[in-house]
Amino acid sequence: MRIVIRADASISIGTGHIMRCLTLSEQLIARQYEVIFICRDHQGNMIDFIRNKGYQVFVLKKSDLTENQEDGYLSWLGAEWDTDAQQTIEYLNQIKGIDWVIVDHYAIDWRWEERVLSYRRPTQLMVIDDLANRRHTCHILLDQNLSLNSTRYRQLLPDSTTTYLGPTYALLRDEFIHTHKKVGARNGTIKNITVFYGGTDLTGETLKVVRALSELPLDQIGIRVIVGPNNPRRLKIKEICRLLSNYKIEDYVSNMAELMLQTDLFIGAGGSTTWERCMLGVPSITTVIADNQKEITEAVEHYGATWNLGECSKVDETTIIQAVRYAVTHPLEVYKMSMRCLDVIGDYQGPSVIIDRMASLKKGDDINV
């Protein structure tokens, strides 16, 4: 099969959409399928990163449109939806024998999807989403997030769409799948803490946490702080960490699964790393740093698999200090959280069943809208 992925990264969007698409791509490549990306040249894009992974990338030119907060996710596309669709179609027409188009973008909905499908029959379309806030026209939909509302896509999809819902289908890299087999019982004692808020951290949560931790008597606890390359406060964070002997700061790590396995408490955001943490039974303290993280974090909190501090605008250093102090002094509660993380993942299926479905669907099947 030949698959084209339409996804973006930017300062506003972050890196999560591209990273999970790359995870899926690795699984597709392992089956000898071909994967091609189409990305817009936003500020903070990952086009070179994708190319360095060996993938061909078609680039949609940078738009003159500026982000408008009132437009919400729509402004993340960097163009009007019909313009983006037409530009994508022009590239699709240059690629022969496309079997699937995969879309992972909060600014794309049924209008874009129907436009692309009408121009590229008999290509089929898969959507990766976790908002459930707009209609889609697609053959497959994947939402890997945990939700307390199991019917939230009922009115948003054609009856013929195959859905894969929940973290049992989470797009996790092989390192997490393999490391999952090594997970043993934790006793709840905290000897190592990892802090990571993604590659950008525009709201400054990493700096907030580092300052909070420096106020606690944690000399006997190893603290690893991972600062993404686009973090605007990275120099200040490094300055503080260098003064503390038990702190280790890193710009990037390539062995996150191994580090999580060694971590007794993870402090971070409620994004895609949630499922990586749950896969390895890592207890966590979570801050919601984006609207699309609120529902997932509340659902995980409901199952007792994280301590949710709430939205970042309401979280201060005192809140973090109280949460960490409680974790350090209540090992039994930390242990229980670890067990609940593993329960959330359940019988992990991963992307393999989705790829099986992609391969089994007859090319050109119509969607019954």
Side-chain angles (χ1 to χ4, degrees), residues 267-290:
I267 305 176
S272 57
T273 55
T274 297
W275 311 124
E276 297 172 355
R277 301 191 300 251
C278 285
M279 189 71 168
L280 303 183
V282 183
S284 62
I285 294 173
T286 304
T287 302
V288 175
I289 64 173

Side-chain angles (χ1 to χ4, degrees), residues 5-265:
I5 295 177
R6 173 71 187 94
D8 285 333
S10 74
I11 296 297
S12 299
I13 295 170
T15 62
H17 297 271
I18 291 296
M19 293 305 295
R20 67 185 180 188
C21 284
L22 284 171
T23 297
L24 178 58
S25 298
E26 291 174 2
Q27 298 287 333
L28 292 165
I29 294 295
R31 298 202 189 193
Q32 306 302 310
Y33 300 146
E34 182 182 357
V35 179
I36 299 167
F37 280 79
I38 297 179
C39 304
R40 191 168 294 281
D41 185 18
H42 294 296
Q43 182 181 2
N45 68 72
M46 296 180 68
I47 293 169
D48 288 340
F49 183 86
I50 300 169
R51 284 174 170 161
N52 289 336
K53 293 282 186 181
Y55 297 97
Q56 182 179 10
V57 183
F58 287 91
V59 180
L60 303 176
K61 67 179 181 179
K62 187 180 297 184
S63 172
D64 293 330
L65 292 180
T66 57
E67 186 169 339
N68 185 343
Q69 293 294 332
E70 294 182 0
D71 291 338
Y73 295 121
L74 294 178
S75 63
W76 286 11
L77 199 57
E80 299 296 334
W81 73 266
D82 50 349
T83 300
D84 190 279
Q86 186 56 45
Q87 292 172 342
T88 300
I89 289 166
E90 290 172 4
Y91 278 137
L92 294 176
N93 287 334
Q94 299 177 34
I95 306 169
K96 295 182 179 179
I98 300 172
D99 297 286
W100 283 87
V101 173
I102 298 176
V103 177
D104 187 348
H105 210 300
Y106 290 160
I108 289 177
D109 62 13
W110 65 275
R111 298 169 299 174
W112 188 102
E113 293 152 8
E114 288 192 359
R115 178 73 62 85
V116 169
L117 284 169
S118 67
Y119 275 84
R120 283 298 309 184
R121 292 187 184 278
T123 299
Q124 300 195 93
L125 195 141
M126 171 179 166
V127 168
I128 302 174
D129 190 24
D130 46 47
L131 296 179
N133 66 344
R134 62 206 188 281
R135 285 173 52 202
H136 290 294
T137 300
C138 56
H139 297 84
I140 292 175
L141 179 132
L142 165 65
D143 182 344
Q144 64 183 12
N145 282 355
L146 185 68
S147 175
L148 301 179
N149 180 5
S150 61
T151 63
R152 61 190 191 138
Y153 284 100
R154 181 170 293 172
Q155 304 300 320
L156 301 177
L157 298 171
D159 292 339
S160 57
T161 300
T162 301
T163 58
Y164 295 94
L165 308 178
T168 189
Y169 304 107
L171 299 176
L172 298 174
R173 300 193 301 276
D174 282 344
E175 62 173 304
F176 289 95
I177 297 172
H178 298 324
T179 306
H180 175 69
K181 302 172 184 177
K182 304 177 184 178
V183 174
R186 298 172 183 267
N187 60 17
T189 301
I190 297 175
K191 297 180 180 178
N192 296 281
I193 295 175
T194 296
V195 180
F196 178 54
Y197 280 91
T200 306
D201 187 18
L202 291 178
T203 61
E205 303 312 303
T206 307
L207 180 58
K208 199 184 296 182
V209 170
V210 166
R211 284 175 168 163
L213 294 179
S214 67
E215 296 296 320
L216 287 165
L218 304 175
D219 295 349
Q220 303 305 311
I221 295 176
I223 298 173
R224 184 186 302 270
V225 182
I226 304 171
V227 184
N230 293 324
N231 191 314
R233 301 166 183 84
R234 59 200 307 268
L235 294 179
K236 182 62 178 178
I237 295 167
K238 288 186 174 184
E239 179 183 327
I240 296 173
C241 291
R242 287 194 184 103
L243 299 175
L244 302 164
S245 61
N246 58 323
Y247 282 60
K248 183 175 184 180
I249 188 163
E250 301 192 47
D251 294 316
Y252 173 79
V253 296
S254 59
N255 60 336
M256 182 63 85
E258 180 183 343
L259 294 180
M260 281 192 180
L261 190 64
Q262 301 167 358
T263 296
D264 301 311
L265 181 67

Side-chain angles (χ1 to χ4, degrees), residues 1 3 24 27-28 30-31 33 100 102 124 126 140 162 164 169 349-363:
M1 291 195 299
I3 297 103
L24 178 58
Q27 298 287 333
L28 292 165
R31 298 202 189 193
Y33 300 146
W100 283 87
I102 298 176
Q124 300 195 93
M126 171 179 166
I140 292 175
T162 301
Y164 295 94
Y169 304 107
Q349 302 292 313
S352 60
V353 295
I354 302 171
I355 298 173
D356 288 342
R357 179 62 175 163
M358 292 172 67
S360 68
L361 280 173
K362 182 179 178 182
K363 186 176 181 180

